[in-house]
């Protein structure tokens, strides 16, 4: 199965969660709007000056010559402009309302002040340096569509529209387990032949960044019946159950066996490296995703399979990932028919294209290689040879963490 097929099939297994809540903007970052948002007022709400300067009527200027105008008054941000003024200019500051009749603002740097008058050069433009009402957002316009995942700048716009709260979808609750007899919680002493559970803190953080509410359910031992009982319980309370480890084809890979006793199981061999084995299925009506145990494989499959599932559950679209061009500082021969993700660091190149250097740690278990690189170079199934100096697509980790 190709990675694209796997992502599409994973998404087809889930539907957006029901339930909404009205929350203050301070809790809305990264959350998904449940309703369209329409502008109840225009932005800006009134015509105002974009600079510190002088407001005037363009028709009071002498065409093609200098003009001397008396300064008749002053209006600062937050003050109300006089309702009328005669031939002349008003001192005005950024954000102050444009006085009725004024249609042009001249920057203070462009005039010479002479006592109570200003001297204006020729060549000014009608309508310069002001922001008309509704220029940014018209009254009644749709500012956001339902399903929008809110970013910090979106919160700025919502606040500018006077909104204190927004109606959001509930975050999907995602149960998270690690599996393996070798795993120990960080913090305790490390028994012989054990390793600390690295995947769970990583996946919990990835879940939160993907817009889910992680429900951390600890470590499961390699025992089919114990696994089955805990997975069944988790499926009752959560919208998605995710595990790592135990989905390969070894005798000690019990997640698949446990799933088979609980519901339907689909085992996918995705044609990628790292991250080939992924188990997908349902427990009662709850979707299940079994990620591989090797940390780099878990990270990669989370990015390409779990993330789009969570986006759909959360009621939003997973934007297609934008690959950036980089030049390979190495060559790499892959296996035909298999897509590969290589951990690389990027640096400025000889031309506008950044140069990608491969991290020496290649193993699917190398957490240090993930921490010491900037992102993944994605090498297509064909051709198998990616030559040094060729331009290839690059995914910065930041793109995979949204
Ligand atoms: P498995 O898929 O269970 O055979 O695991 C593959 C490899 O990943 C083994 O070396 C495991 O010890 C390792 N592994 C599995 N789960 C974790 C975890 N939660 N943290 C760190 N390493 C893990
Ligand atoms: Mg295992």
């Amino acid at each position: 199965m190709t990675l694209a097929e796997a992502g599409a099939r994973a998404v087809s297994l889930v539907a957006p969660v029901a339930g909404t809540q009205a929350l203050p903007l301070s809790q809305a970052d990264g959350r998904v709007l449940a309703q369209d948002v329409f502008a109840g007022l225009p932005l800006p709400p009134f015509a105002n000056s974009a600079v510190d300067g002088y407001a005037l009527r363009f028709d009071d200027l002498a065409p093609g010559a200098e003009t001397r105008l008396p300064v008749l008054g002053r209006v600062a941000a937050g003050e109300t402009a006089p309702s009328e003024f005669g031939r002349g200019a008003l001192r005005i500051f950024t954000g102050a309302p444009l006085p009725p009749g004024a249609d042009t603002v001249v920057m203070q740097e462009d005039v010479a002040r002479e006592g109570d008058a200003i001297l204006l050069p020729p060549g000014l433009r009608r309508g310069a340096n002001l922001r008309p009402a509704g220029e940014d957002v018209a009254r009644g316009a749709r500012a956001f569509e339902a399903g929008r995942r809110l970013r910090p700048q979106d919160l700025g716009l919502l606040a500018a529209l006077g909104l204190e709260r927004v109606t959001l979808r509930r975050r999907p609750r995602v149960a998270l387990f690690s599996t393996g007899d070798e795993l120990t919680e960080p913090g305790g002493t490390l028994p012989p032949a054990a390793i600390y559970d690295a995947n769970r803190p990583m996946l919990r953080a990835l879940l939160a960044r993907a817009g889910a509410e992680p429900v951390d359910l600890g470590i499961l031992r390699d025992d089919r019946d114990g696994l089955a009982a805990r997975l069944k319980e988790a499926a009752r309370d959560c919208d998605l159950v995710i595990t790592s480890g135990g989905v390969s084809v070894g005798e000690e890979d019990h997640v698949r066996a446990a799933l088979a006793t609980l519901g339907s199981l689909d085992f996918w061999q995705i044609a990628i490296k790292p991250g080939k084995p992924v188990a997908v299925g349902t427990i009662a009506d709850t979707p299940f995703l079994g990620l591989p145990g090797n940390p780099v494989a878990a990270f990669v499959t989370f990015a390409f399979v779990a993330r789009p599932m969570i986006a759909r559950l959360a009621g939003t679209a997973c934007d297609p990932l934008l690959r950036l061009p980089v030049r390979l500082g190495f060559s790499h021969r892959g296996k035909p028919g298999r897509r590969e993700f290589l951990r690389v660091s990027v640096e400025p190149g000889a031309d506008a294209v950044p140069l990608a250097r491969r991290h020496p740690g290649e193993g699917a278990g190398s957490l240090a290689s993930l921490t010491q690189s900037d992102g993944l170079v994605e090498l297509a199934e064909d051709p198998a040879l990616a030559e040094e100096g060729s331009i290839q697509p690059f995914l910065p980790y930041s793109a995979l963490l949204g």
Side-chain angles (χ1 to χ4, degrees), residues 82-344:
S83 57
E84 53 186 309
F85 66 109
R87 183 177 182 276
L90 288 180
R91 183 82 172 108
I92 196 165
F93 298 91
T94 307
L98 205 67
D103 60 6
T104 301
V105 176
V106 182
M107 284 174 80
Q108 62 189 25
E109 294 87 335
D110 291 346
V111 304
R113 179 98 194 209
E114 295 183 343
D116 288 341
I118 48 171
L119 201 58
L120 297 125
L124 297 172
R125 192 171 52 77
R126 187 193 294 272
N129 298 316
L130 57 87
R131 307 184 277 218
E135 173 188 60
D136 197 12
V137 181
R139 182 198 298 275
R142 181 158 62 185
F144 295 106
E145 271 185 61
R148 167 84 169 200
R149 185 149 188 236
L150 295 172
R151 305 183 291 175
Q153 58 266 50
D154 300 338
L155 305 181
L157 180 54
L158 291 165
L161 291 172
L163 295 169
E164 184 196 14
R165 286 173 175 269
V166 275
T167 306
L168 302 168
R169 278 190 185 266
R170 175 172 75 76
R171 279 187 307 164
R173 286 167 55 81
V174 179
L176 178 64
F177 293 102
S178 292
T179 75
D181 285 344
E182 74 279 33
L183 300 180
T184 293
E185 288 287 1
T189 50
L190 195 62
I195 58 172
Y196 290 117
D197 180 357
N199 286 349
R200 207 149 37 87
M202 175 178 76
L203 292 170
R204 195 168 51 204
L206 285 168
L207 282 170
R209 292 210 188 197
E213 179 190 337
V215 180
D216 185 345
L217 295 173
I219 299 169
L220 297 176
R221 295 302 157 199
D222 286 322
D223 148 54
R224 190 193 72 176
D225 295 337
L227 271 164
R230 296 289 306 284
L231 292 177
K232 191 172 173 189
E233 200 183 318
R236 265 203 306 270
D237 299 338
C238 293
D239 303 300
L240 171 67
V241 178
I242 292 185
T243 60
S244 68
V247 291
S248 224
V249 289
E251 291 161 33
E252 292 295 335
D253 294 319
H254 298 285
V255 169
R256 296 169 56 202
L259 244 286
T261 70
L262 291 176
S264 72
L265 172 74
D266 220 350
F267 176 56
W268 298 351
Q269 308 256 18
I270 306 177
I272 56 168
K273 182 184 179 183
K276 179 167 98 174
V278 168
V280 188
T282 50
I283 306 170
D285 285 332
T286 304
F288 168 84
L289 178 63
L291 301 175
N294 276 309
V296 182
F299 183 91
V300 168
T301 48
F302 184 93
F304 294 102
V305 183
R307 230 170 38 92
M309 286 175 98
I310 291 161
R312 170 116 176 105
L313 277 170
T316 190
C318 200
D319 290 333
L321 290 168
L322 182 66
R323 275 88 170 158
L324 306 173
V326 294
R327 197 176 298 286
L328 288 196
F330 56 91
S331 58
H332 179 74
R333 184 175 293 281
K335 196 170 133 188
R338 185 174 71 183
R339 181 168 298 221
E340 279 201 46
F341 294 95
L342 307 181
R343 285 143 268 170
V344 299

Side-chain angles (χ1 to χ4, degrees), residues 331-371:
S331 58
H332 179 74
R333 184 175 293 281
K335 196 170 133 188
R338 185 174 71 183
R339 181 168 298 221
E340 279 201 46
F341 294 95
L342 307 181
R343 285 143 268 170
V344 299
S345 300
V346 287
E347 58 190 65
D351 53 11
V353 184
L355 181 70
R357 294 199 186 279
R358 182 155 192 200
H359 192 279
E362 295 184 17
S366 173
L367 276 163
S369 70
L370 272 184
T371 68

